[in-house]
Amino acid sequence: MKRLHFARWRKFLLICSIPAILSAIGVSFLPESPRFLLEMGRNSEAIYVYKLIFSWNNSVKSGEEYQLTEFEVPSKRPTVHVSIPANRGILREMLRSLENCWNNIAGVFSPPNTFLTLFLLVVWITMSFGFYGISIWLHEYTKYIEDNNFESRTINQANLIIEDRKFATNIENIHFTNLTFNNVRFDQTLINHLFDLQPKTVSRIHICSRLENFKTHFDELALWCDIDFDVNFKLAELFYENLFAQLTILPGTLITSFILDRIGRIKTLGVSLVLTSASVGCLWFANTKEYLIAFEAVFTFLTVFGWNALDVMTTEAYPANIRTTSYGIFSAISRLAAILSNLTFGSAIQASKLIPIILSSAVLLSGAICVTRLPETKDYLV
């Protein structure tokens, strides 16, 4: 191609990158973590950050002052060093890092965090398996319905002679077989999807159009303009449908920020899992693309509450020295569960809808049961 076509998938990718870019810029305006400052022995800076955060949280209250002094902040944790020769500094730091990493991982699974970790693992796995499994099934099932409807509207034309004609309209879902084209021109024509052209005789054909899956055996083919592959599988519709469901994340996150501190993390997470599990039953009535898009929006909206509550609770449940390690472990294992769910649900597209309904509902409900064994972290001092 003579130029780089700025197709819709590139626009979609650009839009998706905007939040990450804004987050990277926003981080530069945030203060350093007071926990990190304490670990580095910079107590006065940590006190300043604590006071700054306190002023943000109590801006509407006049006369409130931060009470913690530099002498009352948590002290730095002792560091265990590996005894190796001083002339091997790089190796010493590597061994120290590995030791710290292993100690942190062991701390996540050791008492008194053992049962907390096990129950949280179950919740993370069930949420990832249920959410991503249903998400992939929705998109694949939507495509399955569209393909069936599309094939049912296929038009077949065979054994025709077309002469001295100009096509200026879109040609879609038409099968031409054994046609003779003499002096035919396609001008700004969208030839799209399952267009199988097998000519018997060709005199002269000029094509100036956007082509997708255009299979031909022309001996003489004059391309008078660039070919545009932007319409592959109707990408515009796919992106807009996905955007419609993802937009529900914004109000869900805003609402979650208001209710987490009012009703607690456990109730928010448990109610989200129960409602999500119950909503999956509505898939039994899903027979149209519009219904599936609406269901995906509602399903995504309900899961946002659970994900936000789970993220906050996981962070608060562990002490600061193993907090990031625990979160990393849960995130990694949940990704494996998501991959497993994609493989499981993706292979059940043409099977009965009862399979994804029962499987996802049971998995999400089991996660809701495990939530009852987790501690409420709303009032934990972090």
Side-chain angles (χ1 to χ4, degrees), residues 186-290:
F186 296 86
D187 190 4
Q188 296 300 324
T189 301
L190 175 64
I191 303 176
N192 184 37
H193 202 66
L194 297 178
F195 183 82
D196 187 9
L197 188 59
Q198 298 178 353
K200 177 181 178 182
T201 303
V202 177
S203 173
R204 181 69 173 172
I205 294 183
H206 305 292
I207 297 181
C208 185
S209 60
R210 291 186 295 172
L211 306 181
E212 178 215 349
N213 294 341
F214 185 64
K215 299 177 182 179
T216 181
H217 304 286
F218 292 157
D219 295 325
E220 300 179 38
L221 182 62
L223 296 180
W224 283 23
C225 64
D226 293 335
I227 299 177
D228 186 347
F229 293 95
D230 187 37
V231 291
N232 190 27
F233 294 110
K234 300 182 178 180
L235 289 179
E237 294 183 14
L238 176 62
F239 293 151
Y240 288 134
E241 292 165 7
N242 187 65
L243 180 62
F244 179 76
Q246 297 303 311
L247 285 176
T248 60
I249 295 178
L250 180 59
T253 301
L254 292 176
I255 296 174
T256 306
S257 64
F258 286 103
I259 67 175
L260 275 181
D261 289 329
R262 289 166 175 78
I263 69 175
R265 284 71 162 140
I266 296 300
K267 291 182 180 179
T268 303
L269 177 57
V271 171
S272 173
L273 283 170
V274 171
L275 292 179
T276 304
S277 175
S279 68
V280 176
C282 298
L283 284 176
W284 179 255
F285 307 99
N287 295 313
T288 63
K289 182 178 71 173
E290 292 74 18

Side-chain angles (χ1 to χ4, degrees), residues 68-103:
L68 190 63
T69 67
E70 186 174 344
F71 300 100
E72 298 172 309
V73 295
S75 59
K76 179 181 178 180
R77 296 189 307 274
T79 302
V80 179
H81 298 278
V82 182
S83 299
I84 60 176
N87 59 350
R88 300 173 65 183
I90 296 178
L91 179 59
R92 177 175 57 191
E93 292 301 323
M94 290 178 60
L95 291 176
R96 183 186 303 173
S97 298
L98 290 175
E99 182 188 37
N100 290 337
C101 179
W102 175 251
N103 289 338

Side-chain angles (χ1 to χ4, degrees), residues 141-178:
Y141 192 70
T142 300
K143 185 177 181 298
Y144 174 74
I145 292 178
E146 285 190 309
D147 288 345
N148 288 339
N149 291 337
F150 194 84
E151 292 178 5
S152 66
R153 300 192 305 269
T154 300
I155 299 175
N156 295 293
Q157 294 186 5
N159 303 317
L160 297 177
I161 298 177
I162 300 178
E163 296 181 314
D164 303 321
R165 183 174 174 183
K166 176 183 177 181
F167 287 89
T169 59
N170 294 342
I171 302 176
E172 184 176 26
N173 200 19
I174 300 177
H175 287 198
F176 294 109
T177 305
N178 196 26

